[in-house]
Amino acid sequence: MIAFAPRENLQRLCIIRTLFVGSLVVALLWAQLRLNLLLNLQALGSILLVSTLLTLVTLWRLKAAAPVTQTELFGQLLFDVCTLSLVFFFSGGATNPFVSFYLVPLSIAAATLAWPYVWAMLLLCLLSYGVLLFFYVPLADLYPQIRVQGDVTRMAQLHVIGMWLTFVISSLLITTFVVRMASALRRKQRELATHREQQLRNEQLMAIATLAAGTAHELGTPLSTLKTLLREMQLDHASNPSLSEEIQCLLDQVNLCRDSLNTLVCNSRDNQPRSMEIQQMLTRLIDRWQLMRPQERVSIDIATSLSGLSTLWDPTLDQALINLLNNAADQSESISLSACTDKDSFQLRVRDYGKGISARNAEELGELFHSEKHEGMGIGFSLSQATIERLGGQVRLYRHPVQGTVTEILLPLIPRNPLSP
């Protein structure tokens, strides 16, 4: 997600810290030269020097390619809170009028970090402010002297305690509402990003569908010619059984291509999903796929619990599952296929025994025109994913812990009709 990226937030934090250090330097010079306040300049100067060095180190670190984690950002904010505490300790503690500056790192944490870090930051700020009520280097000129009848010191203490209570309430309100607003904004941005990706993918798929329709029309004539020539060759070489068998295999492949083109035409007319029994769908799927890949060895394990269960189906689902089977078959000479139920879903797992999917390819899966195969067009997995998601399912790939890659497909189960046997 682009917004709230830890790297960008850390860059902004360095800018805020630089402004804070510069402002504090100006304030110290003003307090020393104009107000004649007795400040521990050596201690305060050392604190500002360390803060400046950390800022420079952080800017150098941001040039590296290593990702910035939320833990690292929390550590930077933790340093800033400690820096503020030390500065306030040497400049009047809770009587310092700028003590509410604790709200700055707290607000940053609330807007950018996960809630465990936010609540840890809240407790740290409240604890630091509370300690400064009792332990600090006092400055008489900063102590609020309220000129009323009665105990002046007691009234001043009540004023400081009132400032602390106001800080506590403000901190709780900021933490609670900013965290919720930031979470809502992140969620909205994720939804918008997902919607944009889906819209872009749909536009790309629509362009591919238009090209596919034109290509299907063009392929009709050469396929008919091939079919006619193969039949004539089969008649001419009827006396050669081995050659006739090979010609029949070619005829089967041509007929399969013709069926695929006819399916494409039917899909353009009626692509409404309907219910189909899972075992029937799998039987048709496996028979068709083994006709395409007769040399491939496949082990099949279909759970008996699938008997009588149905899922959503349309003609494009067969093509989507065949694409995933072909991807697995391209990686090894044998694959395994298992089907079972998973809560309210039908789970189909396809495993190959190849080298396994790499982490880089796993991140780029689903992007159109990306393929790890030399002759691949990079649209098979994207088309399969779009079809399965349109039917309410999910598909994911992951590396098998022993060998190969597992393709996991989840499709929703259609509830049984209570009147059915």
Coordinates of all heavy atoms in Angstrom, one line a residue, residues 215-284:
T215 N -9.7 -14.1 -33.6 CA -8.8 -15.2 -33.9 C -9.6 -16.5 -34.1 O -9.3 -17.3 -34.9 CB -7.8 -15.4 -32.7 OG1 -7.1 -14.2 -32.5 CG2 -6.8 -16.5 -33.0
A216 N -10.7 -16.7 -33.2 CA -11.5 -17.9 -33.4 C -12.1 -18.0 -34.7 O -12.2 -19.0 -35.4 CB -12.5 -17.9 -32.3
H217 N -12.6 -16.8 -35.2 CA -13.2 -16.8 -36.5 C -12.2 -17.1 -37.6 O -12.5 -17.8 -38.6 CB -13.8 -15.4 -36.8 CG -14.4 -15.2 -38.1 ND1 -15.6 -15.8 -38.5 CD2 -14.0 -14.5 -39.2 CE1 -15.9 -15.5 -39.7 NE2 -14.9 -14.7 -40.2
E218 N -11.0 -16.6 -37.5 CA -9.9 -16.9 -38.5 C -9.5 -18.4 -38.4 O -9.1 -18.9 -39.5 CB -8.7 -16.0 -38.2 CG -9.1 -14.5 -38.4 CD -7.9 -13.6 -38.1 OE1 -6.9 -14.2 -37.7 OE2 -8.0 -12.4 -38.2
L219 N -9.5 -19.0 -37.3 CA -9.0 -20.4 -37.2 C -10.0 -21.4 -37.7 O -9.6 -22.6 -37.9 CB -8.7 -20.7 -35.7 CG -7.4 -20.0 -35.1 CD1 -7.3 -20.3 -33.7 CD2 -6.2 -20.4 -35.9
G220 N -11.2 -21.0 -37.9 CA -12.2 -22.0 -38.3 C -11.9 -22.6 -39.6 O -11.9 -23.9 -39.8
T221 N -11.5 -21.9 -40.6 CA -11.2 -22.4 -41.9 C -10.0 -23.3 -41.9 O -10.0 -24.4 -42.5 CB -11.0 -21.2 -42.9 OG1 -12.2 -20.5 -42.9 CG2 -10.7 -21.7 -44.3
P222 N -8.8 -22.9 -41.4 CA -7.7 -23.8 -41.4 C -7.9 -25.1 -40.7 O -7.4 -26.1 -41.0 CB -6.5 -23.0 -40.8 CG -7.2 -21.8 -40.1 CD -8.5 -21.6 -40.9
L223 N -8.7 -25.1 -39.6 CA -8.9 -26.3 -38.8 C -9.8 -27.2 -39.7 O -9.6 -28.5 -39.6 CB -9.6 -25.9 -37.5 CG -8.7 -25.4 -36.4 CD1 -9.6 -25.0 -35.2 CD2 -7.7 -26.3 -36.0
S224 N -10.8 -26.7 -40.4 CA -11.6 -27.5 -41.3 C -10.7 -28.2 -42.4 O -10.9 -29.3 -42.7 CB -12.7 -26.7 -41.9 OG -13.6 -26.2 -40.9
T225 N -9.8 -27.4 -42.9 CA -8.9 -27.9 -43.9 C -8.0 -29.0 -43.4 O -7.8 -30.1 -44.0 CB -8.0 -26.8 -44.5 OG1 -8.9 -25.7 -45.0 CG2 -7.1 -27.3 -45.6
L226 N -7.5 -28.8 -42.2 CA -6.6 -29.8 -41.5 C -7.4 -31.1 -41.3 O -6.9 -32.2 -41.5 CB -6.1 -29.3 -40.2 CG -4.9 -28.4 -40.3 CD1 -4.6 -27.8 -38.9 CD2 -3.7 -29.1 -40.8
K227 N -8.6 -30.9 -40.8 CA -9.5 -32.1 -40.5 C -9.7 -32.9 -41.8 O -9.6 -34.2 -41.8 CB -10.8 -31.7 -39.9 CG -11.6 -32.8 -39.4 CD -12.8 -32.3 -38.6 CE -13.7 -33.4 -38.1 NZ -14.9 -32.9 -37.3
T228 N -10.0 -32.2 -42.9 CA -10.3 -32.9 -44.2 C -9.0 -33.6 -44.7 O -9.1 -34.8 -45.1 CB -10.7 -31.9 -45.2 OG1 -11.9 -31.2 -44.8 CG2 -11.0 -32.6 -46.6
L229 N -7.9 -33.0 -44.6 CA -6.6 -33.6 -45.1 C -6.2 -34.8 -44.2 O -5.7 -35.8 -44.8 CB -5.5 -32.5 -45.0 CG -5.6 -31.4 -46.1 CD1 -4.5 -30.4 -45.9 CD2 -5.6 -31.9 -47.5
L230 N -6.4 -34.7 -42.9 CA -6.1 -35.8 -42.0 C -7.0 -37.0 -42.3 O -6.5 -38.2 -42.3 CB -6.2 -35.4 -40.6 CG -5.1 -34.4 -40.1 CD1 -5.4 -33.9 -38.7 CD2 -3.8 -35.1 -40.1
R231 N -8.2 -36.8 -42.6 CA -9.1 -37.9 -42.9 C -8.7 -38.6 -44.2 O -8.7 -39.8 -44.4 CB -10.6 -37.4 -43.0 CG -11.2 -37.2 -41.7 CD -12.6 -36.6 -41.8 NE -13.3 -36.5 -40.5 CZ -14.5 -35.9 -40.4 NH1 -15.1 -35.4 -41.4 NH2 -15.0 -35.8 -39.2
E232 N -8.3 -37.8 -45.2 CA -7.8 -38.4 -46.5 C -6.5 -39.1 -46.3 O -6.4 -40.2 -46.8 CB -7.6 -37.2 -47.5 CG -8.9 -36.6 -48.0 CD -8.6 -35.4 -48.9 OE1 -7.4 -35.1 -49.2 OE2 -9.6 -34.8 -49.4
M233 N -5.6 -38.6 -45.4 CA -4.4 -39.3 -45.1 C -4.7 -40.6 -44.4 O -4.0 -41.6 -44.7 CB -3.5 -38.4 -44.3 CG -2.9 -37.2 -45.0 SD -2.0 -36.1 -43.9 CE -0.7 -37.3 -43.4
Q234 N -5.7 -40.6 -43.5 CA -6.0 -41.8 -42.8 C -6.5 -42.9 -43.7 O -6.2 -44.1 -43.6 CB -7.0 -41.5 -41.7 CG -7.2 -42.6 -40.7 CD -8.1 -42.1 -39.6 OE1 -9.1 -41.4 -39.8 NE2 -7.8 -42.5 -38.3
L235 N -7.3 -42.5 -44.7 CA -7.8 -43.4 -45.7 C -6.7 -44.0 -46.6 O -6.7 -45.2 -47.0 CB -8.9 -42.8 -46.6 CG -10.2 -42.5 -45.9 CD1 -11.2 -41.7 -46.8 CD2 -10.9 -43.7 -45.3
D236 N -5.8 -43.1 -47.0 CA -4.7 -43.5 -47.9 C -3.7 -44.4 -47.2 O -3.1 -45.3 -47.8 CB -3.9 -42.3 -48.3 CG -4.8 -41.4 -49.3 OD1 -5.7 -41.9 -49.8 OD2 -4.5 -40.2 -49.4
H237 N -3.6 -44.3 -45.8 CA -2.6 -45.2 -45.1 C -3.3 -46.1 -44.1 O -2.8 -46.4 -43.1 CB -1.6 -44.3 -44.4 CG -0.9 -43.3 -45.2 ND1 0.3 -43.7 -45.9 CD2 -1.0 -42.0 -45.6 CE1 0.7 -42.7 -46.6 NE2 0.0 -41.7 -46.4
A238 N -4.5 -46.6 -44.5 CA -5.2 -47.5 -43.7 C -4.5 -48.8 -43.5 O -4.6 -49.5 -42.4 CB -6.6 -47.8 -44.3
S239 N -3.6 -49.2 -44.4 CA -2.8 -50.4 -44.3 C -1.6 -50.3 -43.3 O -1.0 -51.3 -43.0 CB -2.3 -50.9 -45.6 OG -1.5 -49.8 -46.2
N240 N -1.3 -49.1 -42.8 CA -0.2 -48.9 -41.9 C -0.8 -48.5 -40.5 O -1.2 -47.4 -40.2 CB 0.7 -47.7 -42.4 CG 2.0 -47.6 -41.6 OD1 2.0 -48.0 -40.5 ND2 3.0 -47.0 -42.2
P241 N -0.9 -49.5 -39.6 CA -1.6 -49.3 -38.3 C -1.0 -48.2 -37.5 O -1.6 -47.4 -36.8 CB -1.6 -50.6 -37.6 CG -1.4 -51.6 -38.7 CD -0.5 -50.9 -39.8
S242 N 0.4 -48.2 -37.4 CA 1.1 -47.2 -36.5 C 0.9 -45.8 -37.0 O 0.6 -44.9 -36.2 CB 2.6 -47.6 -36.4 OG 3.1 -47.5 -37.7
L243 N 0.9 -45.6 -38.4 CA 0.7 -44.3 -38.9 C -0.7 -43.9 -38.8 O -1.0 -42.7 -38.5 CB 1.2 -44.3 -40.4 CG 1.1 -42.9 -41.1 CD1 1.9 -41.9 -40.4 CD2 1.5 -43.0 -42.6
S244 N -1.6 -44.8 -39.0 CA -3.1 -44.5 -38.8 C -3.4 -44.0 -37.3 O -4.2 -43.1 -37.1 CB -3.9 -45.7 -39.1 OG -3.8 -46.0 -40.5
E245 N -2.7 -44.7 -36.4 CA -2.9 -44.3 -35.0 C -2.4 -42.9 -34.7 O -3.0 -42.1 -34.0 CB -2.2 -45.3 -34.1 CG -2.4 -45.1 -32.6 CD -1.7 -46.1 -31.7 OE1 -1.1 -47.1 -32.3 OE2 -1.7 -45.9 -30.5
E246 N -1.3 -42.5 -35.3 CA -0.7 -41.2 -35.1 C -1.6 -40.1 -35.8 O -1.9 -39.0 -35.3 CB 0.7 -41.1 -35.7 CG 1.7 -41.9 -34.9 CD 3.1 -41.9 -35.5 OE1 3.2 -41.2 -36.6 OE2 4.0 -42.4 -34.9
I247 N -2.2 -40.5 -37.0 CA -3.1 -39.6 -37.7 C -4.3 -39.4 -36.9 O -4.9 -38.3 -36.8 CB -3.4 -40.1 -39.1 CG1 -2.1 -40.1 -40.0 CG2 -4.5 -39.3 -39.7 CD1 -2.3 -40.7 -41.3
Q248 N -4.8 -40.5 -36.2 CA -6.0 -40.4 -35.4 C -5.8 -39.5 -34.2 O -6.6 -38.7 -33.8 CB -6.4 -41.8 -34.9 CG -7.7 -41.8 -34.1 CD -8.9 -41.2 -34.9 OE1 -9.1 -41.6 -36.0 NE2 -9.7 -40.4 -34.2
C249 N -4.6 -39.5 -33.7 CA -4.2 -38.6 -32.5 C -4.3 -37.2 -33.0 O -4.8 -36.3 -32.3 CB -2.8 -39.0 -32.0 SG -2.3 -38.0 -30.6
L250 N -3.8 -36.9 -34.2 CA -3.8 -35.6 -34.7 C -5.3 -35.1 -35.0 O -5.7 -34.0 -34.7 CB -3.0 -35.5 -36.1 CG -1.5 -35.6 -36.0 CD1 -0.9 -35.6 -37.4 CD2 -0.9 -34.5 -35.1
L251 N -6.1 -36.0 -35.4 CA -7.5 -35.7 -35.6 C -8.2 -35.4 -34.3 O -9.0 -34.5 -34.2 CB -8.2 -36.9 -36.3 CG -8.2 -37.0 -37.8 CD1 -8.8 -38.3 -38.3 CD2 -9.0 -35.8 -38.4
D252 N -7.8 -36.1 -33.3 CA -8.4 -35.9 -31.9 C -8.0 -34.5 -31.5 O -8.8 -33.7 -30.9 CB -7.9 -36.9 -30.9 CG -8.5 -38.3 -31.2 OD1 -9.6 -38.3 -31.9 OD2 -8.0 -39.3 -30.8
Q253 N -6.8 -34.1 -31.7 CA -6.3 -32.7 -31.3 C -7.1 -31.6 -32.1 O -7.4 -30.6 -31.6 CB -4.8 -32.6 -31.5 CG -4.0 -33.6 -30.7 CD -4.2 -33.4 -29.2 OE1 -4.2 -32.2 -28.7 NE2 -4.2 -34.5 -28.5
V254 N -7.2 -31.9 -33.4 CA -8.0 -30.9 -34.2 C -9.4 -30.8 -33.8 O -10.0 -29.7 -33.7 CB -7.9 -31.3 -35.7 CG1 -8.8 -30.4 -36.6 CG2 -6.5 -31.2 -36.2
N255 N -10.0 -31.9 -33.5 CA -11.4 -31.9 -33.0 C -11.5 -31.2 -31.6 O -12.5 -30.5 -31.4 CB -12.0 -33.3 -32.8 CG -12.2 -34.0 -34.2 OD1 -12.6 -33.3 -35.1 ND2 -12.1 -35.3 -34.2
L256 N -10.5 -31.4 -30.8 CA -10.5 -30.6 -29.5 C -10.4 -29.1 -29.8 O -11.1 -28.4 -29.1 CB -9.3 -31.1 -28.7 CG -9.2 -30.6 -27.3 CD1 -10.4 -31.0 -26.5 CD2 -7.9 -31.1 -26.6
C257 N -9.6 -28.7 -30.7 CA -9.5 -27.3 -31.0 C -10.9 -26.8 -31.5 O -11.3 -25.7 -31.2 CB -8.4 -27.0 -32.1 SG -6.7 -27.3 -31.5
R258 N -11.5 -27.6 -32.4 CA -12.8 -27.2 -32.9 C -13.8 -27.1 -31.7 O -14.6 -26.1 -31.7 CB -13.3 -28.2 -33.9 CG -12.6 -28.3 -35.2 CD -12.9 -27.1 -36.1 NE -14.3 -27.1 -36.5 CZ -14.9 -26.1 -37.2 NH1 -14.1 -25.2 -37.7 NH2 -16.1 -26.2 -37.5
D259 N -13.8 -28.0 -30.8 CA -14.7 -27.9 -29.6 C -14.4 -26.7 -28.8 O -15.4 -26.1 -28.3 CB -14.5 -29.2 -28.8 CG -15.0 -30.4 -29.5 OD1 -15.8 -30.3 -30.5 OD2 -14.6 -31.6 -29.1
S260 N -13.1 -26.3 -28.7 CA -12.8 -25.1 -27.9 C -13.4 -23.9 -28.6 O -13.9 -23.0 -27.9 CB -11.3 -25.0 -27.8 OG -10.8 -26.1 -27.0
L261 N -13.3 -23.8 -29.9 CA -13.8 -22.7 -30.6 C -15.3 -22.6 -30.5 O -15.9 -21.6 -30.3 CB -13.4 -22.7 -32.1 CG -11.9 -22.6 -32.4 CD1 -11.7 -22.6 -33.9 CD2 -11.4 -21.3 -31.8
N262 N -16.0 -23.8 -30.6 CA -17.4 -23.8 -30.4 C -17.8 -23.4 -29.0 O -18.9 -22.7 -28.8 CB -18.0 -25.2 -30.7 CG -17.8 -25.6 -32.2 OD1 -17.8 -24.7 -33.0 ND2 -17.7 -26.9 -32.5
T263 N -17.0 -23.8 -28.0 CA -17.3 -23.4 -26.6 C -17.2 -21.9 -26.5 O -18.0 -21.2 -25.8 CB -16.3 -24.1 -25.7 OG1 -16.5 -25.5 -25.8 CG2 -16.6 -23.7 -24.2
L264 N -16.2 -21.3 -27.2 CA -16.0 -19.9 -27.1 C -17.2 -19.1 -27.7 O -17.7 -18.1 -27.1 CB -14.7 -19.5 -27.9 CG -14.4 -18.0 -28.0 CD1 -14.2 -17.4 -26.6 CD2 -13.2 -17.7 -28.9
V265 N -17.8 -19.7 -28.8 CA -19.0 -19.0 -29.3 C -20.2 -19.2 -28.4 O -20.9 -18.2 -28.2 CB -19.3 -19.7 -30.7 CG1 -20.6 -19.2 -31.3 CG2 -18.2 -19.4 -31.7
C266 N -20.3 -20.4 -27.8 CA -21.4 -20.6 -26.8 C -21.3 -19.7 -25.6 O -22.3 -19.1 -25.1 CB -21.5 -22.0 -26.4 SG -21.9 -23.2 -27.7
N267 N -20.1 -19.4 -25.2 CA -19.9 -18.6 -24.0 C -20.3 -17.2 -24.3 O -20.8 -16.4 -23.4 CB -18.4 -18.6 -23.6 CG -18.0 -19.9 -23.0 OD1 -18.8 -20.7 -22.7 ND2 -16.7 -20.1 -22.9
S268 N -20.1 -16.7 -25.5 CA -20.5 -15.3 -25.9 C -22.0 -15.2 -25.9 O -22.5 -14.1 -25.7 CB -19.9 -14.9 -27.2 OG -20.4 -15.8 -28.2
R269 N -22.7 -16.3 -26.0 CA -24.2 -16.2 -26.1 C -24.8 -16.4 -24.7 O -25.8 -15.7 -24.3 CB -24.7 -17.3 -27.0 CG -24.3 -17.1 -28.5 CD -24.8 -18.3 -29.3 NE -24.3 -18.1 -30.7 CZ -24.5 -19.1 -31.6 NH1 -25.0 -20.3 -31.3 NH2 -24.0 -18.9 -32.8
D270 N -24.3 -17.3 -23.9 CA -24.9 -17.6 -22.6 C -23.7 -18.0 -21.7 O -23.2 -19.1 -21.8 CB -25.9 -18.8 -22.7 CG -26.5 -19.1 -21.4 OD1 -26.4 -18.2 -20.5 OD2 -27.1 -20.2 -21.3
N271 N -23.4 -17.1 -20.8 CA -22.3 -17.4 -19.8 C -22.8 -17.3 -18.4 O -22.0 -17.0 -17.5 CB -21.1 -16.5 -20.0 CG -21.5 -15.0 -19.9 OD1 -22.7 -14.7 -19.7 ND2 -20.5 -14.1 -19.9
Q272 N -24.1 -17.5 -18.2 CA -24.6 -17.5 -16.8 C -24.2 -18.7 -16.0 O -24.4 -19.8 -16.5 CB -26.1 -17.4 -16.9 CG -26.7 -16.1 -17.4 CD -26.2 -14.9 -16.6 OE1 -26.2 -14.9 -15.4 NE2 -25.9 -13.8 -17.3
P273 N -23.6 -18.6 -14.8 CA -23.3 -19.7 -14.0 C -24.5 -20.6 -13.6 O -25.6 -20.0 -13.5 CB -22.6 -19.1 -12.8 CG -22.2 -17.7 -13.2 CD -23.3 -17.3 -14.2
R274 N -24.3 -21.9 -13.6 CA -25.4 -22.7 -13.1 C -24.8 -23.8 -12.2 O -23.5 -24.0 -12.1 CB -26.1 -23.3 -14.3 CG -25.3 -24.2 -15.2 CD -26.1 -24.7 -16.4 NE -25.4 -25.6 -17.3 CZ -24.8 -25.2 -18.3 NH1 -24.8 -23.9 -18.7 NH2 -24.1 -26.0 -19.1
S275 N -25.6 -24.6 -11.6 CA -25.2 -25.6 -10.7 C -24.8 -26.9 -11.4 O -25.4 -27.2 -12.4 CB -26.3 -25.9 -9.7 OG -26.0 -27.1 -8.9
M276 N -23.7 -27.5 -10.9 CA -23.3 -28.8 -11.5 C -22.6 -29.6 -10.4 O -21.9 -29.1 -9.5 CB -22.2 -28.6 -12.6 CG -21.7 -29.9 -13.2 SD -20.6 -29.7 -14.6 CE -21.7 -29.2 -15.9
E277 N -22.9 -30.9 -10.5 CA -22.3 -31.8 -9.5 C -20.8 -31.9 -9.7 O -20.3 -31.9 -10.8 CB -22.9 -33.2 -9.7 CG -24.3 -33.4 -9.1 CD -24.7 -34.8 -9.0 OE1 -23.9 -35.7 -9.2 OE2 -25.9 -35.1 -8.6
I278 N -20.1 -31.9 -8.6 CA -18.7 -31.8 -8.6 C -18.0 -33.0 -9.2 O -17.1 -32.9 -10.1 CB -18.1 -31.6 -7.2 CG1 -18.6 -30.2 -6.6 CG2 -16.6 -31.7 -7.1 CD1 -18.2 -29.9 -5.2
Q279 N -18.5 -34.2 -8.9 CA -17.9 -35.4 -9.5 C -18.1 -35.4 -11.0 O -17.2 -35.8 -11.7 CB -18.5 -36.6 -8.8 CG -18.1 -36.8 -7.4 CD -18.6 -38.1 -6.8 OE1 -19.6 -38.6 -7.2 NE2 -17.9 -38.6 -5.8
Q280 N -19.3 -35.0 -11.5 CA -19.5 -34.9 -12.9 C -18.6 -33.9 -13.6 O -18.0 -34.2 -14.6 CB -20.9 -34.5 -13.2 CG -21.3 -34.4 -14.7 CD -22.7 -33.8 -14.9 OE1 -23.4 -33.6 -14.0 NE2 -23.0 -33.6 -16.2
M281 N -18.4 -32.8 -12.9 CA -17.5 -31.8 -13.5 C -16.1 -32.3 -13.6 O -15.4 -32.1 -14.6 CB -17.6 -30.5 -12.6 CG -16.7 -29.4 -13.1 SD -16.6 -28.0 -12.0 CE -15.6 -28.7 -10.7
L282 N -15.6 -32.9 -12.5 CA -14.2 -33.4 -12.4 C -14.0 -34.5 -13.5 O -12.9 -34.6 -14.1 CB -13.9 -33.9 -11.0 CG -13.8 -32.8 -9.9 CD1 -13.5 -33.5 -8.6 CD2 -12.7 -31.8 -10.3
T283 N -15.0 -35.4 -13.6 CA -14.9 -36.5 -14.6 C -14.7 -35.9 -16.0 O -13.8 -36.4 -16.8 CB -16.1 -37.4 -14.5 OG1 -16.2 -38.0 -13.2 CG2 -15.9 -38.6 -15.5
R284 N -15.5 -35.0 -16.4 CA -15.4 -34.3 -17.7 C -14.1 -33.6 -17.9 O -13.5 -33.7 -18.9 CB -16.6 -33.3 -17.9 CG -17.9 -34.0 -18.0 CD -19.0 -32.9 -18.2 NE -18.6 -31.9 -19.1 CZ -19.2 -30.7 -19.3 NH1 -20.2 -30.4 -18.5 NH2 -18.8 -29.9 -20.2

